[in-house]
Structure formats: C-alpha cells, structure tokens
C-alpha cells in the first residue's frame, strides 16, 4: 500500500464541501460554502420579485368587477418592464407618460425625415386652405351686404324721388311753398302725356303723337332762382330746353303765368345738351310727383357726359369719313335699330337718299321734313329710322316692318327719344359742305 495514500487527507471535500448535483450552475471558485448559498438566495429572491411584479401587472390590467365588465388578462410586455418603478410600500407603478406615448413615439421614430417634411408641408397647406376659405366666405358676405345696401338705397331714392316734396333753389320747404303759391291762381292743368326728344320737351293733355301732341298753345317758364324777372315765353308744340339758363323753373300752361301743370304719376327724366363754346354742358331734369303742386325743370352745368350717354348715335351704313369729321362729339355706332333705341343720346343719324328731318320739328334749312303715314288712328313718321330713333313720341316698336320688330322686346315706359336725321352719302362732297349740314342739324330749334 502506498504510504502517501494513507497519510494525505482529501482536501477537495474539506474546502469545497459536498457537491450538489441538482445545482445548475458551475460551482464558484471560492472556497466558502456560504458564498454559494448567498448566490442561491439572491437568485431565488430575484425570481420571487419578478413573479410578484408579474402578478401586480396582471391584477392592474384586470377590469374592476364593479363596472360589470369582464376581466381580461393582459400578457406581460417585457418591452415596458423598464417603465415599472418600485414604490416605497413595495407596490409597483407604471410610468404613464412613457407607457401611453410609447406607440406614438415609435411611429415618429419610424418616419423618415422626408416623410416628416412631407407631413409638415401637407399640414401647412391645409391651414392655408382653411384660412383662404374663411376669407372667401367673409368677402362673399361683405359683397352680399353691399349689394343689399345698394338695392335698399336705390329703392329708397326711387321712393324719395317719387314721393318727396321737391324743393326749389336749395331753399327750405317754407320758402319753396311761397314759390309754389305764386302759381296757385288759375286752374290746374292735368298733364296726360309727355315726351322728351333730344332737348325738346313735348307736353299734352292728350296722348302724344307726332301729328297731334299738345293741348297748349303757349308756355311760360319762370326761373324762381333768378333775382330779376327773366321769364321765358315760348309758343309752338314743344319747349326748347337748351334756351334755359341755370336755375329751377316752374312751367305755366299760358303766357300770363298763372295756373300750373301737374302730372298724376311721378316724372323724373334727365337729358343733356351739346357742349357749348365754353366747354359747358347743360344737365336738364324734368320732375314732378304726387306731393309737389307743379312741374319743375331744373338746369345745371356739367363739364362731361355720363359714361352711358352720347352726343350722337350713328346707324350702320354711315360713311366713316363723316364720323371722322365729328371728332369733337361723343359718338356711338350701332348695327341695328335695337341698339339705336336703347342708346341714350341727344341726336341720331343715318345715311339715305336725301336730307330728312322729323315732321314734329320746325323746318330746318337744307332739310326736308319726313312724311307721315297713317298707322291705326295716328299719323306717324313714314321713315323707319326716324320713327324708331325718336322713341315715345313716334310710337317706336309698333313692328311696322320686320326690321323695326327688333325694337318691340325692348320697349319700356321711357318717354325719352333722340332728335333723328337722315343725311346723304358722302359721294364727292367736300367736308366743309357736310359739316354745314351737321351744324344745321345740331342747331335744330
């Protein structure tokens, strides 16, 4: 027997202790049995702690039975384990901010810089679009409000013109009453019909037409704004408004200056004269209403015509060389009778075989009065152009021929027409000679 085997003790068992075959880990290199037992206790404690945390989370995820809802066990999310904190009393709590925002943070992290930039641009475009829509709605609302206000003003002004008391010379109602009172003597003449042709005013106790248009033989016009007595007395079947100076005129149905002319329906018409040598244009308004005891003619001066008003309207066919000679006039060219009828102008002219003037005007040197034809119970202008351009006084729109039928749909209650003439073609006439005919036409009295 080997002596060494008998005398040498087994140091492995003495220092390392008994080997536990069930212990899963390799034995530490220490030489103290207590070290192994401490490691075992720590592992067991860690396992129990994790188990306790898991149970806490399961209980927290369950729905309370007080709400009559079914409890559902939620699986443990190891990714959120770091969000769980240990409270002082040993219970665990979840970092709610990190837990709730986890998905949104993950979504943001998943977006590339290009995608984030695109989303920001789309959000900006949406904001701009919303702002523009709101601004458009506000602008439309403002426009509608302005239209309503404008319509109300027009209706109000129309009613005011029709029903308000017409004062004279800018004076008070009391002073105006005295002016009207001066014409209180005599019988009031009821005006049945009237017509304005250019700057000629026709008044009638009967229905107006070119052959029988007045029940008066003389008129007296009193300028109540003038300091001196400068009454105008006129005879014939119309009043030449161009002869009136600035002021407000009362119209008497005789040359003595008593009585008054009054119309049962409101009257408010405005016409303009040609520009004089001083560059002035007369704006002439004829007005009367139910509250005013007499017809009034107001004359004032302006320096230019309204945008929709002309000195002369020329019907299709007139030689352009003639129009060129009229460069000092505001001229409009029309291609049909409809345009001629609807255009507001003082004069109207077309080209024909001779120089013709309307039958209702005084004789003009160099012109022949147009013939009249019996149409129904009335004698009207035989020349189509003169009849349709003259308007109310010649019963325009009676559809006497196919060409004149175009006026019929556009007939209105307007009593205003144009002084209409027919001139010859240019041919070989000198401009000076043609200008002479136009001067005669424009100076028609």
């Amino acid at each position: 027997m080997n002596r060494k085997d008998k005398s040498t003790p087994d140091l492995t068992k003495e220092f390392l202790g008994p080997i536990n075959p069930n212990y899963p880990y390799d034995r530490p290199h220490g030489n103290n049995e207590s070290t192994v037992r401490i490691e075992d206790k720590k592992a067991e404690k860690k396992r129990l702690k994790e188990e306790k945390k898991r149970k806490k989370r399961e209980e927290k995820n369950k729905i309370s039975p007080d709400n009559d809802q079914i409890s559902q066990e939620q699986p443990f999310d190891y990714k959120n384990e770091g969000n769980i904190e240990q409270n002082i009393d040993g219970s665990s709590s979840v970092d709610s901010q990190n837990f709730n925002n986890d998905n949104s943070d993950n979504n943001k992290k998943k977006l590339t810089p290009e995608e984030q930039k695109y989303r920001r641009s789309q959000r900006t475009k949406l904001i701009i679009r919303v702002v523009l829509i709101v601004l458009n709605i506000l602008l439309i609302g403002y426009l509608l409000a302005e239209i309503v206000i404008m319509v109300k003003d027009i209706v109000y002004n129309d009613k005011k013109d029709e029903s308000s008391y017409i004062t004279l010379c800018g004076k008070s109602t009391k002073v105006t009453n005295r002016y009207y009172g001066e014409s209180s003597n005599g019988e009031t003449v009821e005006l049945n019909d009237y017509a304005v042709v250019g700057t000629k005013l026709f008044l009638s106790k009967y229905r107006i037409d070119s052959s029988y248009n007045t029940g008066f033989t003389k008129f007296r016009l009193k300028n109540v704004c003038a300091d001196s007595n400068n009454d105008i007395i006129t005879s014939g079947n119309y009043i030449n408004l161009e002869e009136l100076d600035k002021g407000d005129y009362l119209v008497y149905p005789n040359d003595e200056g008593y009585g008054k002319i009054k119309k049962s329906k409101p009257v408010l018409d405005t016409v303009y004269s040609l520009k004089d040598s001083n560059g002035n244009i007369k704006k002439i308004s004829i007005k009367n209403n139910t509250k005013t005891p007499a017809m009034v003619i107001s004359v004032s001066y302006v320096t230019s015509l309204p945008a929709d008003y002309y000195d002369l309207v020329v019907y299709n066919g007139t030689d352009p060389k003639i129009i060129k000679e009229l460069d000092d006039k505001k001229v409009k060219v029309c291609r049909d009778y409809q345009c001629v009828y609807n255009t507001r102008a003082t004069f109207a002219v077309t080209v024909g075989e001779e120089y013709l003037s309307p039958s209702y005007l005084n004789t003009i040197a160099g012109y022949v009065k147009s013939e009249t034809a019996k149409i129904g119970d009335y004698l009207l202008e035989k020349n189509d152009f003169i009849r349709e351009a003259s308007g109310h006084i010649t019963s325009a729109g009676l559809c006497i021929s196919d060409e004149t039928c175009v006026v019929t749909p556009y007939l209105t209650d307007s009593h205003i027409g144009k002084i209409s003439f027919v001139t010859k073609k240019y041919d070989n006439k000198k401009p000076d000679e043609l200008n002479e005919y136009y001067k005669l036409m424009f100076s028609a009295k």
Side-chain angles (χ1 to χ4, degrees), residues 3 10 29 33 62 92 115 147 177 332-333 337 387 391 415 429 434:
R3 184 178 179 180
D10 190 353
H29 295 285
E33 183 179 0
K62 289 182 181 180
S92 61
E115 290 174 335
I147 292 173
N177 283 336
K332 180 176 180 179
V333 178
Y337 285 157
R387 183 177 61 253
H415 290 249
K429 294 184 179 297
L434 287 169

Side-chain angles (χ1 to χ4, degrees), residues 214-230:
T214 182
F216 310 104
T217 56
K218 291 182 179 180
F219 299 98
R220 188 182 189 98
L221 292 93
K222 180 178 181 61
N223 187 352
V224 295
C225 302
D227 296 332
S228 58
N229 185 5
N230 58 348

Side-chain angles (χ1 to χ4, degrees), residues 288-303:
N288 193 203
N289 58 40
T290 55
K291 291 188 176 181
T292 305
M295 176 167 282
V296 178
I297 300 175
S298 295
V299 181
S300 59
Y301 290 102
V302 295
T303 56

